[in-house]
């Protein structure tokens, strides 16, 4: 029997989706992806995941409370204030239970931009213990930069990625495993862009 898609394969498909969104939006509008609405990236990422062998179900714009109810981790009592709003994407297991929430963001150069999303994912992952079908969460994001006075655009992006991963570990490292998976930085004249996946797993 075929097992679930490896997380590493999903990460690479997500990064491919970000690159596709950048290339297609630039061809469409002459602008880079940071000017596009986030749902454009979400659609491209979902389409790349759909191409994977044995890929199962995805839904877009699903309420966080609905996701944890379907995952069997709703429980009793009040939910943490971080658990509100919607996830941009939700991946499902073949048995019809949620596997992973994914948030999609554009033009991220610091962790503050995605901190609320990271906290929401952390709270969802750590509900319900073994009864929770959700096994990881991810924030997929795009960023671009122009050169600074002392750094190239590529260096600015690489430094931003290092800080984002460090800040995420400082905030969530006591309850989750954190790892940033960046794409290669693409340089165009003196500017640059890249995608990244911040992977969040429970300890």
């Amino acid at each position: 029997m075929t097992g679930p898609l490896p997380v590493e394969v999903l990460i690479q498909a997500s990064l491919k989706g970000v690159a596709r969104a950048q290339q297609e939006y630039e061809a469409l509008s002459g602008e880079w992806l940071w000017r596009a609405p986030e749902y454009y990236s979400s659609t491209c990422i979902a389409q790349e995941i759909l191409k994977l062998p044995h890929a199962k179900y995805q839904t877009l714009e699903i309420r966080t409370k609905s996701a944890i109810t379907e995952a069997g981790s709703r429980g009793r009592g009040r939910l943490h204030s971080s658990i509100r709003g919607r996830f941009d994407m939700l991946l499902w297991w073949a048995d019809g239970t949620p596997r992973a929430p994914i948030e999609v963001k554009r033009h991220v150069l610091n962790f503050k931009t995605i901190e609320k999303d990271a906290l929401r994912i952390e709270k969802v992952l750590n509900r319900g213990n073994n009864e929770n079908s959700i096994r990881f969460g991810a924030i997929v994001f795009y960023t671009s930069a122009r050169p600074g006075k002392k750094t190239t655009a590529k260096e600015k992006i690489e430094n931003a990625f290092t800080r984002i991963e460090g800040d995420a570990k400082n905030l969530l490292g006591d309850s989750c495993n954190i790892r940033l998976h960046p794409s290669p930085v693409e340089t165009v004249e003196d500017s640059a862009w890249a995608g990244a996946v911040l992977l969040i797993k429970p300890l």
Side-chain angles (χ1 to χ4, degrees):
M1 180 179 291
T2 302
L5 281 169
V7 176
E8 294 76 13
V9 174
L10 291 167
I11 288 170
Q12 291 306 311
S14 297
L15 292 175
K16 189 174 180 180
V18 173
R20 172 181 171 176
Q22 159 68 18
Q23 293 158 4
E24 290 186 359
Y25 194 74
E26 185 176 8
L28 177 72
S29 67
E31 302 283 356
W32 279 18
L33 190 60
W34 68 274
R35 288 186 177 273
E38 286 173 355
Y39 72 79
Y40 192 89
S41 296
S42 298
T43 301
C44 289
I45 292 165
Q47 290 172 342
E48 289 301 323
I49 292 174
L50 186 61
K51 292 179 182 178
L52 297 174
H54 314 296
K56 292 300 178 182
Y57 308 108
Q58 307 170 66
T59 49
L60 305 182
E61 295 291 335
I62 187 166
R63 292 179 65 236
T64 307
K65 292 180 181 179
S66 296
I68 62 174
T69 299
E70 294 284 349
S73 59
R74 174 64 175 85
R76 297 181 178 180
R78 297 186 63 183
L79 296 174
H80 191 276
S81 60
S82 297
I83 302 177
R84 59 178 181 272
R86 295 174 180 267
F87 288 126
D88 294 323
M89 301 173 61
L90 187 67
L91 306 183
W92 298 74
W93 296 103
D95 68 0
T97 56
R99 182 184 183 189
I102 297 177
E103 295 286 5
V104 179
K105 296 297 175 186
R106 62 186 178 96
H107 206 47
V108 176
L109 280 170
N110 60 73
F111 182 63
K112 281 291 182 184
T113 308
I114 58 175
E115 182 176 320
K116 289 182 179 179
D117 301 290
L119 283 169
R120 182 186 301 114
I121 291 172
E122 184 270 337
K123 296 302 180 188
V124 168
L125 287 173
N126 287 301
R127 286 189 64 85
N129 300 317
N130 294 332
E131 297 176 359
N132 191 347
S133 70
I134 295 175
R135 292 292 181 260
F136 70 92
I139 302 174
V140 183
F141 63 92
Y142 166 92
T143 192
S144 60
R146 296 189 179 194
K149 292 182 179 179
K150 297 182 180 180
T151 56
T152 66
K154 182 174 184 288
E155 289 170 338
K156 285 179 71 173
I157 290 175
E158 291 172 340
N159 292 340
F161 285 167
T162 299
R163 290 193 304 270
I164 289 168
E165 184 177 47
D167 290 345
K169 287 181 176 178
N170 288 338
L171 180 66
L172 303 176
D174 290 339
S175 60
C176 291
N177 288 313
I178 305 293
R179 185 176 178 189
L180 186 78
H181 299 261
S183 73
V185 179
E186 300 290 337
T187 301
V188 182
E189 297 180 351
D190 64 344
S191 298
W193 65 268
V197 177
L198 185 69
L199 183 66
I200 305 172
K201 289 183 173 182
L203 293 176

